[in-house]
Structures are given as structure tokens and as C-alpha cells.
Amino acid sequence: MRGLFRKERMWPKHELKPRYDVVIIGAGVHGLSTAYYLAKNHGITNVAVLDKVYLGGGNSGRNTAILRANYMTPEGIRFYSESLRLYEGLSKELDYNLLMAQVGHISLAHTDSAVNGIWRRAEVNKAMGVDSRMIYPDEIKEKIPALDMSQRPRYPIKAGLYHPPGGMIRHNAVVWGYARAAERYGAEIHTRTEVTGIDVKEGQVEGVRTAAGEVIRAGVVVNSTAGYCSTVAKMAGVDLPVVTHPLQACVTEPLKPFLDVVTVSANLHVYVYQTDRGELVLGSEIDPYSSYAQVSTLETLESIVGHAIELFPSLKNVRILRQWTGICDMTPDYSPIMGDVDGLKGFVLDVGWGTYGFKAGPVSGKRIAEFIGTGKMPDLIAPFRLSRFYDRALVSERGAAAVSH
Ligand code: PYC
């Protein structure tokens, strides 16, 4: 039996060095994947990933682990498609089982305007080579037999956007897999190391300061935080157009398998899927107030389960096991903010993910690393630069939200 237990740490502890080529703030999937691709694709290994709490203790551990690429804009579709492709090969690449399940993803529409919205997404998805199509009540019933497809509900189901490659993955495994791989290349992971200041001199970022008083020099500092991205950016004197809202989710007791597709209703503000353990993961829209509190509330729980029961009346006696809350950095166009900041050298943003961050982890890391490694802005992230808010070049992904905001 003893041999079954791993004795060595997944990654060793390090003393903080006084200087790194790159310091990444935030040891979630984005920060860790950036460290991994910096090393693997660009040979940059003198890298520290700092986090004020534990590995994946921010939104990487507080999401619903849904993967999909069925976005609304060509820029978004291209970007999230690459992420899904990277996720598809990631267990093999990291040599770590990430338990990815591409069970399919269905966004239900209950009103004429929602039907119009998913129809537009289906058309743009198809034009961009993403596997998405409209389906109607007979096929929806076949794919999700437990749904109430009658005319009895407040919002009868009219149509759905079916996206077969969508699904889910084990979120903490993704974090651990990237952490282990980045560390093996030489990157250092420093948890419980809170950044409290960013030093800037004459338009150049010089390094960071920590709560414990350490001063760390760096050629490049990457803000890969979620929830506190505007607080961290402000340390470098950068104002982000971001408002932070809580997003709540919960999980039920395990049930016999009955649901094998991710089921989303924007009209009812709820998404539901069944895990391989039989539990149902249920999620909500963002809370209607801005806050940094990772606090779960009874009101939101009641709203999530009420809406889930509208879709699946047979769930009415199922018990909730636990509830959690992430905090989402919402931008005005629901797209992220990536890349450089005009007038400030050495500061790189990978922030503003709203409710889309987890699914973008691999592509963000890969392309932010490319930007740092080559000094050239990759086409895939160019549309998401901070300057778009000043150049009137917004990329509106509001219509692709799993649930309305
Ligand atoms: O965009 O699919 C999504 C999503 C689900 C939960 C939060 N965002």
C-alpha cells in the first residue's frame, strides 16, 4: 500500500531570487500556462509565478470547468477554438490525465430573440469551421430526455445551439498539470507570496514588491490575475475598464447518470451538467452587484435551483452538497484584455476574463508567451489589446455568454 502514496512534492519549494526574466502574478491556469509555454516554446525559464494564496486558489478553482468554442465574433471564435484544440491534446502533452469529456454543449432558446441569437452564432460558427448547429424540440428531447419539453413551463423550449466538441475537464488537474510541467522546465512557483507593489521607472516596469518586503526585479511583469486584476494593474498606474462581480455555482449529491450533455439556458440564467461522479454542477449568471466577496448566498442558490427545476422538474428533491463563488472581471464588451499597455514597457496584461477565463487558459498562455518571447503581437490576441477601448474597436461577446448578464 505504501508504494501508492507519492512522497515527493509535485514541485519543489524555492527561495525567491532577486531577479527573474519574467514575473507572472497569479498562479492559476493562465499564469501557469504562460510559464509553461514561455519555457517550452521560447526557452525562457528564469520565470517566477507568484500567488497570494494557493495554487489555483482564484478563479481556476472557482469555475464550472466548461469548455466550448461557440462564440459570437470571428475574433472570439478563432481564439477560443485554438484553446479547445490545445485542451484536446493537453493530457498527452502534459502527461497528466485531465479527465476531459467532450460530451457536447447545448444552449437552449426559449424566446424568439434568443432563437435569433443562437441562430446567428450557429451561422458564424459554421463559417469559421466550428462544429455548431441549430437543433429543434424533437432532437433536443432525444439528446436530453429529462428536460421538460412541454408547453407547460413559463418559458417553453423553442430551439437549441448544439456544439458537439463542447464539454468539461477537471479544473484542478489542469492547474496541477501546467504547474508540474512548467516547474520541470525550471519555472518557480511561489504561493503565499502576495504582490503589493509594482515598480515603474520612466515608463518601464522594473519589478514587484511583496507583502513580506521582498523586492524582485524583472524584465517583464505579467498580470494574470482574476478578480483583482484592476487592483494589480493600478499598482503599475494602469486603469482598467473592469467591474468585478461574483459568480456563484453549486453541486448536488451524486445521482444515477441521466444527463450527458452540458445544458445551458440563457433565458433562465442557469447551466447544468453531470460529472463523472454523478453530481450535477449548476451555475448562475453573475450577481447583480459589484463585489470582491467570494461569498455564496441563499438567494442565488434559490434562484439557481429554481431555474434548474424549471428545466428538469425531476430534480425537485435533490440535495445540494456545496456552493462556491468566483469573482469575475467584466469588461464593457465581455472580451478579455491581453497584451501590452501603451506608454508602459514590460507590463503585460492577461485579464478581464469575465465568465470566460478557464476555457481560455491554454491559448492565453501560449499567445502571451509568444508575445513576450518574440516581441511581436500574435494576430490571435491583437484584437483584445487594451487600446481597443480608445480606438473604438470593441469585440462584443455579450451574446455568447452562457447565461445573460
Ligand atoms: O461561458 O460557458 C461559459 C460559462 C459557464 C460558466 C461561466 N461561463
Side-chain angles (χ1 to χ4, degrees):
M1 267 312 257
R2 281 180 68 91
L4 288 176
F5 296 101
R6 196 166 20 81
K7 293 196 201 78
E8 74 282 12
R9 292 173 59 96
M10 287 262 283
W11 42 85
K13 259 180 167 332
H14 298 275
E15 287 297 309
L16 267 173
K17 292 193 297 209
R19 195 198 141 80
Y20 295 90
D21 294 334
V22 181
V23 164
I24 299 169
I25 310 172
V29 57
H30 284 248
L32 294 164
S33 68
T34 301
Y36 168 72
Y37 293 111
L38 274 171
K40 175 173 178 253
N41 295 351
H42 305 282
I44 300 173
T45 57
N46 184 22
V47 173
V49 187
L50 313 182
D51 201 291
K52 73 172 179 174
V53 288
Y54 52 91
L55 207 72
N59 276 5
S60 293
R62 294 172 171 273
N63 59 74
T64 46
I66 294 171
L67 304 181
R68 63 188 178 95
N70 57 355
Y71 279 75
M72 179 71 103
T73 66
E75 295 88 342
I77 293 167
R78 219 176 278 128
F79 181 79
Y80 291 98
S81 293
E82 178 165 298
S83 211
L84 194 55
R85 269 197 304 280
L86 288 167
Y87 264 128
E88 284 167 350
L90 205 56
S91 289
K92 188 152 183 251
E93 176 165 353
L94 300 180
D95 188 23
Y96 199 69
N97 189 355
L98 306 177
L99 300 172
M100 180 167 172
Q102 288 181 285
V103 293
H105 182 285
I106 296 180
S107 305
L108 301 171
H110 309 248
T111 62
D112 290 345
S113 86
V115 173
N116 187 45
I118 59 170
W119 174 80
R120 247 186 82 189
R121 272 167 72 192
E123 292 306 304
V124 191
N125 281 198
K126 274 188 274 182
M128 305 279 305
V130 168
D131 187 1
S132 281
R133 65 183 167 87
M134 293 293 287
I135 55 174
Y136 295 94
D138 284 350
E139 193 174 350
I140 296 174
K141 178 84 198 155
E142 209 176 277
K143 294 199 176 338
I144 318 175
L147 266 184
D148 185 350
M149 295 295 299
S150 71
Q151 291 299 307
R152 190 184 56 84
R154 185 162 66 115
Y155 289 123
I157 293 165
K158 292 182 170 229
L161 176 67
Y162 180 42
H163 176 48
M168 72 294 262
I169 198 162
R170 194 60 66 84
H171 56 351
N172 40 16
V174 175
V175 170
W176 297 332
Y178 270 128
R180 187 179 72 153
E183 194 281 329
R184 285 182 177 171
Y185 274 117
E188 293 178 10
I189 299 164
H190 294 270
T191 53
R192 312 275 174 202
T193 306
E194 181 178 0
V195 171
T196 49
I198 299 178
D199 291 337
V200 178
K201 194 165 164 205
E202 292 165 10
Q204 170 81 49
V205 163
E206 296 198 317
V208 302
R209 289 167 189 263
T210 71
E214 293 110 340
V215 179
I216 306 164
R217 303 292 87 186
V220 175
V221 173
V222 187
N223 180 355
S224 284
T225 57
Y228 297 93
C229 75
S230 29
T231 315
V232 171
K234 194 82 188 156
M235 293 175 195
V238 177
D239 279 322
L240 295 179
V242 160
V243 182
T244 300
H245 286 251
L247 178 83
Q248 303 193 36
C250 60
V251 72
T252 68
E253 63 185 326
L255 305 171
K256 262 167 80 168
F258 75 97
L259 178 62
D260 57 7
V261 59
V262 180
T263 305
V264 177
S265 166
N267 294 117
L268 289 176
H269 318 298
V270 73
Y271 33 94
V272 184
Y273 73 82
Q274 190 164 25
T275 69
D276 44 10
R277 284 194 293 237
E279 298 164 349
L280 292 182
V281 175
L282 312 175
S284 167
E285 64 184 328
I286 52 172
D287 284 335
Y289 46 85
S290 142
S291 170
Y292 288 118
Q294 292 173 329
V295 172
S296 300
T297 62
L298 182 61
E299 288 90 335
T300 300
L301 181 63
E302 282 178 339
S303 138
I304 299 175
V305 298
H307 291 140
I309 291 169
E310 282 190 64
L311 290 177
F312 297 103
S314 55
L315 296 184
K316 68 178 189 306
N317 292 323
V318 170
R319 281 168 294 204
I320 297 296
L321 275 192
R322 56 181 185 278
Q323 199 179 347
W324 66 90
T325 300
I327 43 177
C328 302
D329 295 322
M330 310 304 300
T331 62
D333 60 359
Y334 298 78
S335 282
I337 304 175
M338 302 184 75
D340 54 344
V341 178
D342 286 342
L344 181 60
K345 292 206 190 87
F347 193 52
V348 175
L349 298 170
D350 175 12
V351 296
W353 287 99
T355 60
Y356 300 149
F358 182 74
K359 46 190 88 31
V363 67
S364 306
K366 180 172 173 192
R367 298 304 177 170
I368 289 287
E370 180 184 338
F371 176 52
I372 296 168
T374 64
K376 294 200 194 91
M377 175 64 68
D379 289 347
L380 218 53
I381 63 174
F384 304 122
R385 290 187 67 219
L386 177 61
S387 55
R388 78 178 182 277
F389 296 104
Y390 308 101
D391 299 341
R392 300 184 188 187
L394 302 195
V395 184
S396 180
E397 280 296 355
R398 182 171 189 172
V403 290
S404 62
H405 297 312

